[in-house]
Amino acid sequence: MTAAAPSSETLWSRCGGCAALLYRKRLRRNLDVCPECGLHARLAAPERVDQLVDPGSFRALPDHVVEVDPIGFVDALPYPHRLAAARTDTGLSEAVLCGTATVGGSPCALAVMDFRFLGGSLGCAVGELITCTAEQALTAGVALVLVTASGGARMQEGALSLMQMATVSQAMAALREVGLLTISVLTDPTYGGVAASFATSADLVLAESGARMGFAGPRVIRQVTGRDIPAGFQTAEFLLRHGQVDMVVPRHALRARLATLLAAVASPTTIRSGVTAPPPDAARPGRPLRSPARDAWETVRLARHPGRPTTLDYLETTFDGFTELHGDRLGGDCPAVVGGMAQLAGRHVMVIGHQKGHTTAELAARNFGMATPAGHRKALRLMRLAARLGLPVVTLVDTPGADPGFEAEEHGQAAAIAENILTLSMLPTPVVAVVTGEGGSGGALALAVADRVLMLQHAVYSVISPEGCAAILWPGRAAAPQAARALRLTAPDLCRLGIVDEVVPEPAGSAADDTEATGRAVRHALLTNLLPLMEVPAVTLVQRRRQRFRRFGAARAAAPAGAR
């Protein structure tokens, strides 16, 4: 579908997508992306390296690999003849170009595949080169970036080429074990054994606009199923919708996006702000806000106000930058959960939050902030990634509850929530949760098993909605205001119970009246609570978190309200 980029001597080029005749110099200035239809032409590995890394920073790794013809394969030509022809045509010794470089000043090890060389196929030499690059990343303690373009494993090397999937994956596992970031950039096409191993097992998977990726290619699918391929199938945009990639990035933005992601783990940073560690009494749980209490039902209505700031609003007002990551890698990308890397006063953190919306259309598109199993699993993936990279986790809770629909049950909603709670119970990195609006049942707790739990002044947090409680224990939903008072779901109530550690003040009226001021208050509270946690060893952190929730046992629950 996508033609290889023409040689530099060609004055004119015809686009393989819209057939427009393009002046070659103009096309090159546009990074070989058609200015008429946006088609991304395939790039040779050296061209790709030039576009991605800082000028003059690339240092190629030795590529003196042993000649490989393990099974004496011959089709129309002997395999060695095909290798010789590919080397002559591309100027490369193999289908991958490996080295070290910097991107936006951040060091990394880099392996870039070249589809011109026998379809970018994964053979023993390619596997060895990529494995050596991963080992170089491990030795240097830097991130690994893989740019894939491949039809799959190299048939001419038989089962030995299949083994390269495991060889490279093991090298990546070693990086994961020590907390070094791996990033895969999918380009067109990425299929077969490459897609089913290192291309999709990286910590972060980016797809260049228009790239196609899958295990089985279109020809194989048609042969096996006898069906036509639907439009847009296996494209980058298709993969994003189905939770397979973190983001789709146009070619002109790839370097900047990689630079942002690499900067998050390139070197440790410290929080910079005027906030100092809180005094000992401020670090104890149960610090209420001294302000006139509102009626519980009125607070419920304020917590649900459509003008109340959402997670995306806080990412604009509370944090200094945000790169959204998508997908659970299992088939879905729930819009009710937003997550990704952000900065907070110079420190990179992982932010995960429920997302509602302000209009009816936004609320419907975000499923009213009710996470599906895919949303909980996306959050789980990002929590685990944060732990591997040593990033603190900040969660923003605002949901009426988890999605209660048929499809959610079919996809294991209960198990997804349970796995999040279990993982947060042993996550070896600081976790601060902020209940910003509604904290509804297990859907809220799936993001709120934290070292410190903060709550906005007019937020609510409860085992069930007042309406649900009234329908079960009262004559009907009309008793919701009475149920709200009985549930003790306001921030002052929960502070007295020790469930919430601190109440974050809201502007006069409520958070809906001043998003900017609310964002600043949340920022201050996060910095105040996160600073002490950064100094706690991981083992101690987990022990204290478990002790925090252990105190909600039967003995405490049985104590009279006045004794708590």
Side-chain angles (χ1 to χ4, degrees):
M1 291 175 60
T2 308
S7 66
S8 57
E9 289 80 13
T10 305
L11 292 178
W12 296 89
S13 175
R14 191 171 296 279
C15 175
C18 65
L21 191 62
L22 304 169
Y23 186 49
R24 181 63 189 147
K25 288 186 177 179
R26 180 191 178 197
L27 185 62
R28 184 60 82 177
R29 285 195 300 270
N30 207 42
L31 305 181
D32 286 288
V33 177
C34 176
E36 303 298 330
C37 71
L39 181 74
H40 287 53
R42 290 177 189 155
L43 294 178
E47 295 171 328
R48 178 74 67 176
V49 168
D50 288 344
Q51 289 186 8
L52 288 183
V53 308
D54 297 337
S57 68
F58 182 73
R59 298 292 181 268
L61 294 178
D63 61 356
H64 301 299
V65 294
V66 178
E67 291 289 332
V68 175
D69 183 16
I71 60 175
F73 189 93
V74 179
D75 50 86
L77 287 173
Y79 176 41
H81 292 189
R82 291 195 180 279
L83 282 173
R87 287 168 179 155
T88 299
D89 292 342
T90 64
L92 300 176
S93 62
E94 257 299 346
V96 66
L97 179 59
C98 302
T100 59
T102 61
V103 181
S106 298
C108 67
L110 181 70
V112 180
M113 303 187 77
D114 196 317
F115 193 78
R116 300 174 304 157
F117 196 111
L118 297 182
S121 51
L122 175 63
C124 293
V126 172
E128 176 68 16
L129 289 168
I130 298 176
T131 298
C132 288
T133 306
E135 291 170 347
Q136 173 65 28
L138 184 64
T139 300
V142 298
L144 173 67
V145 177
L146 303 169
V147 182
T148 62
S150 174
R154 189 168 294 178
M155 295 174 288
Q156 294 92 337
E157 296 182 17
L160 283 171
S161 64
L162 190 67
M163 296 302 104
Q164 302 312 307
M165 296 167 62
T167 300
V168 177
S169 295
Q170 287 189 160
M172 293 179 69
L175 295 173
R176 178 171 292 194
E177 287 171 351
V178 299
L180 291 174
L181 181 67
T182 57
I183 301 176
S184 172
V185 180
L186 308 177
T187 73
D188 189 64
T190 298
Y191 282 108
V194 171
S197 56
F198 55 88
T200 53
S201 63
D203 294 317
L204 302 176
V205 180
L206 285 59
E208 185 176 68
S209 297
R212 295 166 297 157
M213 188 278 287
F215 180 57
R219 183 185 304 175
V220 173
I221 294 173
R222 280 191 292 265
Q223 287 175 347
V224 173
T225 67
R227 297 170 56 186
D228 290 333
I229 306 298
F233 183 68
Q234 294 183 324
T235 62
E237 293 73 19
F238 172 93
L239 298 170
L240 183 65
R241 289 196 304 272
H242 289 82
Q244 303 299 305
V245 300
D246 286 288
M247 63 188 78
V248 176
V249 187
R251 185 171 293 168
H252 68 83
L254 264 177
R255 180 191 287 185
R257 191 58 54 89
L258 282 174
T260 298
L261 295 171
L262 291 170
V265 294
S267 60
T269 55
T270 56
I271 291 180
R272 299 186 301 273
S273 76
V275 178
T276 57
D281 63 333
R284 297 189 193 122
R287 186 171 63 166
L289 184 71
R290 291 182 174 85
S291 62
R294 290 181 181 265
D295 175 72
W297 181 242
E298 184 184 356
T299 302
V300 169
R301 297 178 67 179
L302 288 174
R304 295 172 175 173
H305 193 287
R308 201 167 180 84
T310 67
T311 290
L312 289 177
D313 292 323
Y314 286 112
L315 287 165
E316 288 287 335
T317 59
T318 299
F319 300 90
D320 305 313
F322 177 63
T323 301
E324 186 171 1
L325 305 175
H326 290 270
D328 66 352
R329 301 280 179 87
L330 295 174
D333 181 39
C334 174
V337 174
V338 170
M341 294 180 181
Q343 291 186 57
L344 182 64
R347 176 78 194 203
H348 287 88
V349 297
M350 188 71 77
V351 181
I352 306 165
H354 298 106
Q355 176 63 25
K356 286 183 176 178
H358 299 298
T359 67
T360 301
E362 289 174 350
L363 287 164
R366 297 284 182 173
N367 199 31
F368 299 87
M370 297 186 295
T372 64
H376 291 124
R377 289 172 182 138
K378 173 166 65 174
L380 179 67
R381 182 173 74 85
L382 298 184
M383 292 171 192
R384 288 173 171 167
L385 176 60
R388 288 201 303 274
L389 301 178
L391 302 179
V393 174
V394 174
T395 64
L396 304 175
V397 177
D398 185 14
T399 178
D403 187 336
F406 288 107
E407 189 174 353
E409 293 300 316
E410 291 171 350
H411 289 85
Q413 181 69 288
I417 294 171
E419 187 64 25
N420 277 28
I421 294 172
L422 182 66
T423 298
L424 281 169
S425 298
M426 52 188 178
L427 203 71
T429 195
V431 183
V432 177
V434 187
V435 183
T436 62
E438 287 185 279
S441 190
L445 188 62
L447 295 186
V449 179
D451 301 296
R452 299 282 290 173
V453 179
L454 316 180
M455 191 168 174
L456 263 69
Q457 182 179 357
H458 303 313
V460 294
Y461 191 10
S462 177
V463 66
I464 192 171
S465 70
E467 294 88 345
C469 181
I472 296 171
L473 299 180
W474 273 268
R477 294 168 65 90
Q482 186 178 351
R485 298 176 194 111
L487 284 166
R488 300 288 189 266
L489 44 63
T490 68
D493 288 329
L494 295 168
C495 239
R496 284 190 290 272
L497 289 169
I499 291 171
V500 167
D501 299 297
E502 183 177 327
V503 182
V504 181
E506 296 188 22
S510 75
D513 296 307
D514 194 336
T515 298
E516 294 284 341
T518 305
R520 290 193 296 271
V522 171
R523 178 186 176 92
H524 184 275
L526 283 174
L527 287 168
T528 301
N529 284 273
L530 193 56
L531 276 168
L533 297 175
M534 302 300 296
E535 306 300 323
V536 180
V539 173
T540 306
L541 199 67
V542 173
Q543 288 175 344
R544 290 181 181 175
R545 191 181 308 144
R546 292 180 181 175
Q547 291 168 359
R548 182 187 193 284
F549 286 88
R550 178 66 181 89
R551 70 172 185 257
F552 302 130
R556 180 175 179 84
R564 293 172 188 159

